[in-house]
Amino acid sequence: MSQEVRVRFAPSPTGHLHIGGARSALFNYLFARNQKGKFIVRIEDTDQARNVETATEKLMESLKWLGIEWDESVDLGGPHAPYQSMERLDIYNKHVEQLLSEGKAYHCYMTEEELEKEREQQRSRGETPKYSGRDRHLTDEQKRAYEAEGRKPVVRFLVPESQEIVVDDAVRGKVTFESEGIGDFVIVRQDGIPTYNFAVVIDDQLMGISHVIRGEEHLSNAPRQVLLFEAFGWSTPKFAHASLILNEDRQKMSKRDESIIQFVEQYRDLGYLPEAIVNFISLLGWSPGGEEEILTKDQLIEQFSLDRVIKAPAVFDTQKLAWMNNQYMKEADEDRVVWLALPHLVKAGRLPEFMSEKQKQWAYDLIVLHQEKMSYGAEIVELTELFFRDEIDYNEEAKEILAEEQVPEVLAAFKNKLNELDSFTADEVKKSLKAVQKETGHKGKKLFMPVRVAVSGQMHGPDLPQTIALLGKSVVTKRLENLL
């Protein structure tokens, strides 16, 4: 094993970057940076049937958006190029031939129908289905006979009998598996392309990977990979299997689960901040040293260690993510928040795609007014609904406020003050409210609550003078007149 810390994220290009994959990438990245090591992004594209043409680019874009930087990959190159499995077939073939020549692997000619029949028989006997080893010791004559039938063989790894396989895991300690429960597994398919478990071992060894950090769902792959490392006489990297990520019902998160947005690209498109996403997913199965939960990337790098990766499943709490992103939105530069939110108002048809300078300024002020409340960019559409509707449907609670005896006097005085204004700005509106207070003697909730409810239909909201100024003189006076 390499003395230098070298870790990798090795996704298959089958779709968008999933939250689980993003966490694996992040843990590897943070560990590498903490240990002054190297982080490699490798593309495992041996499963040709599932590969999606643009997936690699989208995966890399999502990692870049999150701020996860790599040292070697398909785009940067590096000393162990190529970093894409299908460009490394010659390397794999050489190692397959080595195992075949040493009697540690063999050709298997069983058809899928024969394998399924075998599995059914095992299940009927109450056994765990596994390959029986029928073709372990075929003669050359038997092989030629199968090939004459048109059968194409796979290559299977010969699993040693009665062997205890130990996976030394930084999170789970020593995890043992019995070789009897595995069965000789396929390392090269009929089309000559190696399987994931074989390719990943060869790549990890030749690229000097010191630690394999990934999700718990890969733990079942670990014994097969350990056997392959041992078959070549190589040292096994240090494994670390992070906990499962559960949904809010504490069920294993499925990609078909629509209760949770699961892909990084979707969060980007909704107007989340990447640093908030990084902060949130870093806490899915890892615990920082103190009580503080809002952590910058530099703080995460400084604090990250494998001994604080926890075994217990992590629950994906959507409300916590919204809260955390809101903390970042509050602190973000106004221009950045507007850039995140404005496209959603345009997409919803609330604003034209091409705006005058006056419209742009109005939109800018509207978004900034709601920055404190915004959990993510797309939420601006819901938050600003009252600015884009002609009439207000007052609920029962609002009607109770408007039924108070002082309300007609307050609203009439306020309407008169607004009509006197030449400049309809937040400052002038604020002065008008103070003038109404002086004129009527009503103040506090008796003054401000009826005005807020009358113009917005809401009991609570952002700064009232700013809200009234952005609604505009004609809209506000019309709403007051309708009530009066």
Side-chain angles (χ1 to χ4, degrees):
M1 187 173 74
S2 169
Q3 292 302 306
E4 178 190 35
V5 166
R6 288 178 58 82
V7 295
R8 47 76 172 176
F9 175 55
S12 299
T14 55
H16 303 290
L17 181 61
H18 187 262
I19 284 292
R23 183 189 66 169
S24 292
L26 179 63
F27 280 13
N28 278 282
Y29 168 76
L30 294 175
F31 183 67
R33 293 294 176 263
N34 176 275
Q35 297 291 314
K36 306 294 188 290
K38 294 288 193 297
F39 173 56
I40 295 108
V41 175
R42 209 169 63 207
I43 301 300
E44 301 283 353
D45 60 346
T46 58
D47 192 348
Q48 294 286 284
R50 295 178 62 230
N51 291 346
V52 176
E53 188 177 350
T54 59
T56 296
E57 290 76 15
K58 288 189 178 296
L59 286 166
M60 307 293 263
E61 281 173 14
S62 291
L63 289 173
K64 285 177 182 174
W65 180 74
L66 290 170
I68 297 175
E69 303 132 347
W70 48 86
D71 302 293
E72 302 169 26
S73 188
V74 289
D75 57 343
L76 293 181
H80 303 285
Y83 292 92
Q84 193 152 338
S85 298
M86 288 304 288
E87 296 177 12
R88 298 173 62 81
L89 294 181
D90 289 345
I91 297 169
Y92 304 140
N93 289 338
K94 184 177 74 171
H95 288 86
V96 172
E97 290 303 321
Q98 180 183 335
L99 292 182
L100 287 168
S101 66
E102 293 174 358
K104 296 175 181 175
Y106 60 92
H107 290 102
C108 170
Y109 292 84
M110 286 185 76
T111 64
E112 188 51 49
E113 291 75 21
E114 289 171 334
L115 288 166
E116 183 52 41
K117 185 178 179 182
E118 187 177 85
R119 288 191 286 265
E120 284 178 9
Q121 290 171 346
Q122 289 169 338
R123 279 191 286 263
S124 69
R125 297 194 296 268
E127 300 171 3
T128 302
K130 66 171 186 176
Y131 174 65
S132 64
R134 188 200 77 174
D135 288 1
R136 275 182 183 170
H137 305 294
L138 293 176
T139 63
D140 289 342
E141 186 179 353
Q142 287 172 312
K143 291 178 184 177
R144 284 194 293 271
Y146 281 135
E147 287 167 9
E149 292 177 22
R151 298 195 189 201
K152 290 185 176 180
V154 298
V155 178
R156 289 185 180 273
F157 178 76
L158 182 60
V159 174
E161 294 180 3
S162 305
Q163 180 173 324
E164 190 176 71
I165 305 155
V166 179
V167 177
D168 186 13
D169 194 283
V171 178
R172 294 159 200 287
K174 292 191 185 300
V175 186
T176 58
F177 299 84
E178 299 297 329
S179 65
E180 302 304 313
I182 295 176
D184 298 349
F185 54 91
V186 176
I187 58 173
V188 181
R189 301 186 190 91
Q190 287 180 327
D191 58 7
I193 296 174
T195 59
Y196 162 78
N197 274 320
F198 184 76
V200 78
V201 166
I202 305 303
D203 292 343
D204 283 349
Q205 171 64 23
L206 298 184
M207 293 183 187
I209 300 303
S210 62
H211 295 72
V212 173
I213 306 168
R214 56 192 181 183
E216 184 185 338
E217 63 274 13
H218 284 286
L219 186 58
S220 60
N221 288 323
R224 292 170 174 80
Q225 293 167 11
V226 167
L227 286 172
L228 286 165
F229 277 108
E230 291 176 349
F232 286 109
W234 297 334
S235 297
T236 307
K238 184 75 171 180
F239 288 100
H241 290 91
S243 63
L244 290 173
I245 301 176
L246 306 180
N247 64 19
E248 289 167 313
D249 295 326
R250 303 192 73 83
Q251 301 296 313
K252 183 180 176 183
M253 207 156 72
S254 158
K255 289 183 180 179
R256 292 180 294 278
D257 183 356
E258 294 182 0
S259 67
I260 292 175
I261 299 168
Q262 299 196 33
F263 298 97
V264 169
E265 200 171 320
Q266 290 173 294
Y267 286 102
R268 185 196 69 191
D269 292 347
L270 282 170
Y272 278 78
L273 292 166
E275 55 268 38
I277 299 291
V278 163
N279 193 162
F280 177 75
I281 63 176
S282 71
L283 301 177
L284 292 174
W286 173 78
S287 171
E291 296 298 316
E292 183 60 51
E293 289 191 305
I294 303 296
L295 299 164
T296 66
K297 188 167 76 169
D298 287 343
Q299 288 172 317
L300 290 171
I301 289 169
E302 184 183 349
Q303 294 190 36
F304 191 84
S305 65
L306 293 178
D307 59 11
R308 299 199 68 86
V309 176
I310 54 181
K311 292 182 192 177
V315 177
F316 193 102
D317 185 339
T318 52
Q319 288 186 328
K320 183 174 180 178
L321 173 57
W323 168 82
M324 187 170 281
N325 202 71
N326 174 251
Q327 303 305 302
Y328 280 88
M329 291 287 268
K330 287 177 183 177
E331 300 298 322
D333 180 77
E334 288 180 356
D335 288 352
R336 190 179 182 204
V337 174
V338 171
W339 180 80
L340 285 171
L342 185 58
H344 296 283
L345 289 172
V346 173
K347 185 180 177 182
R350 300 280 172 84
L351 292 171
E353 188 174 353
F354 301 103
M355 289 178 268
S356 66
E357 289 306 312
K358 187 177 179 181
Q359 286 174 313
K360 287 178 185 176
Q361 186 60 54
W362 182 85
Y364 189 101
D365 293 340
L366 179 70
I367 292 166
V368 171
L369 177 64
H370 291 85
Q371 181 172 347
E372 285 282 313
K373 287 286 184 186
M374 218 186 308
S375 294
Y376 53 93
E379 201 174 34
I380 193 66
V381 176
E382 181 185 344
L383 289 172
T384 60
E385 186 188 356
L386 74 96
F387 291 86
F388 299 97
R389 64 183 183 209
D390 294 329
E391 295 182 2
I392 296 175
D393 183 18
Y394 298 101
N395 62 26
E396 290 305 313
E397 200 175 9
K399 287 176 182 176
E400 284 181 23
I401 297 292
L402 296 173
E404 292 174 4
E405 61 179 353
Q406 86 286 4
V407 170
E409 182 186 7
V410 166
L411 297 187
F414 185 53
K415 181 175 80 73
N416 291 335
K417 295 297 178 189
L418 295 184
N419 283 332
E420 294 170 7
L421 294 180
D422 293 324
S423 174
F424 203 75
T425 64
D427 285 342
E428 293 301 317
V429 170
K430 193 173 184 179
K431 289 175 186 175
S432 297
L433 284 165
K434 285 184 178 178
V436 171
Q437 179 180 325
K438 189 174 181 181
E439 180 182 313
T440 65
H442 299 297
K443 58 184 179 181
K445 281 190 174 182
K446 292 290 183 182
L447 168 64
F448 296 108
M449 188 64 83
V451 172
R452 181 180 290 281
V453 171
V455 301
S456 71
Q458 299 175 347
M459 307 285 289
H460 308 282
D463 181 77
L464 183 56
Q466 283 277 12
T467 299
I468 291 169
L470 286 168
L471 280 167
K473 189 173 184 178
S474 63
V475 170
V476 173
T477 52
K478 183 183 176 184
R479 288 179 181 179
L480 293 172
E481 284 168 1
N482 286 344
L483 282 170
L484 290 167

